[in-house]
């Protein structure tokens, strides 16, 4: 996927991705899930 050129294009991409989100399936049982994240920035 290409990098959006501006906010309007970024929002259009998000609108397309929104169609792929699954909301009607149960998640993992409480206490059994794992969440991880990484945030990296360079000056």
């Amino acid at each position: 996927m290409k990098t959006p050129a501006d906010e309007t294009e970024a929002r259009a991409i998000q609108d397309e991705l929104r169609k792929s989100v699954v909301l009607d399936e149960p998640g993992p049982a409480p206490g059994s899930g794992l969440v991880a994240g990484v945030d990296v920035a360079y000056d």
Side-chain angles (χ1 to χ4, degrees), residues 2-30:
K2 70 178 190 130
T3 301
D6 56 24
E7 181 182 348
T8 301
E9 191 173 327
R11 288 180 180 272
I13 292 169
Q14 288 295 311
D15 287 340
E16 284 300 311
L17 291 172
R18 185 176 289 118
K19 297 173 186 174
S20 301
V21 176
V22 178
L23 298 174
D24 60 350
E25 293 181 8

